[in-house]
């Protein structure tokens, strides 16, 4: 038996064109359990884990906005909207901090050096 080897580019295209790696299969999960999981991810985002809010939005978007109405849908929508707002706010704060730090690091002297893992040589 001859086995065809795939190039890394072919594997990358195959992975990117299959959406299974992005979404969780929620078809076998009860609606009550979906709401509970969505709620846990929402509250988990408050513990300095804003990535959970993004995962929450990606995983439960179809359940909240595309699927026909079901009892827990309004609560899931509420958690998703709040998760999206939280994720956007965290991202804005993080980008603002990184921008300010990069622009003023040299002016802050030793204080900025103590916050840095890698201390750049000189001023750009």
């Amino acid at each position: 038996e001859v086995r065809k080897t795939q190039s890394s580019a072919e594997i990358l295209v195959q992975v990117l064109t299959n959406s299974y790696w992005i979404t969780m299969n929620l078809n076998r999960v009860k609606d009550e359990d979906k709401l509970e999981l969505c709620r846990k991810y929402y509250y988990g985002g408050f513990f300095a884990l804003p990535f959970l809010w993004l995962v929450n939005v990606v995983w439960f978007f179809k359940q909240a906005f595309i699927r026909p109405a079901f009892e827990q849908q309004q609560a899931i929508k509420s958690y998703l909207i709040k998760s999206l707002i939280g994720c956007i706010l965290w991202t804005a704060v993080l980008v603002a901090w990184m921008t300010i730090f990069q622009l003023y690091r040299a002016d802050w002297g030793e204080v900025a050096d103590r916050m840095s893992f890698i201390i750049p040589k000189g001023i750009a």
Side-chain angles (χ1 to χ4, degrees), residues 41-56:
Y41 273 65
Y42 171 69
Y43 287 118
F46 285 105
F47 294 100
L49 300 169
F51 182 70
L52 285 180
W53 285 329
L54 180 62
V55 170
N56 204 17

Side-chain angles (χ1 to χ4, degrees), residues 3-12 14:
R3 212 171 190 186
K4 182 187 176 224
T5 58
Q6 291 181 311
S7 70
S8 57
E10 290 173 326
I11 294 171
L12 180 63
Q14 188 178 20

Side-chain angles (χ1 to χ4, degrees), residues 19-34:
S19 63
Y20 67 86
W21 65 277
I22 295 175
T23 59
M24 177 177 161
N25 185 3
L26 294 170
N27 295 333
R28 298 180 188 167
V29 180
K30 295 178 192 172
D31 290 337
E32 298 83 22
D33 295 336
K34 290 175 190 174

Side-chain angles (χ1 to χ4, degrees), residues 68-81:
F70 60 98
E71 185 180 346
Q72 294 81 4
Q73 192 173 37
Q74 280 306 113
I76 290 175
K77 276 184 187 180
S78 173
Y79 285 128
L80 284 190
I81 291 169

Side-chain angles (χ1 to χ4, degrees), residues 29-114:
V29 180
K30 295 178 192 172
D31 290 337
E32 298 83 22
D33 295 336
K34 290 175 190 174
L35 176 60
E36 183 66 21
L37 184 60
C38 185
R39 184 182 66 76
K40 286 179 181 178
Y41 273 65
Y42 171 69
Y43 287 118
F46 285 105
F47 294 100
L49 300 169
F51 182 70
L52 285 180
W53 285 329
L54 180 62
V55 170
N56 204 17
V57 171
V58 170
W59 277 1
F60 290 100
F61 183 82
K62 283 184 183 178
Q63 301 296 316
F65 297 104
I66 296 175
R67 183 178 158 197
F70 60 98
E71 185 180 346
Q72 294 81 4
Q73 192 173 37
Q74 280 306 113
I76 290 175
K77 276 184 187 180
S78 173
Y79 285 128
L80 284 190
I81 291 169
K82 294 175 198 174
S83 294
L84 183 60
I85 292 169
C87 186
I88 290 170
L89 288 175
W90 262 93
T91 302
V93 168
L94 186 62
V95 168
W97 166 248
M98 289 188 304
T99 302
I100 290 169
F101 186 77
Q102 292 297 319
L103 290 174
Y104 298 105
R105 186 204 58 78
D107 296 338
W108 294 347
E110 187 179 342
V111 172
D113 289 344
R114 289 177 186 246

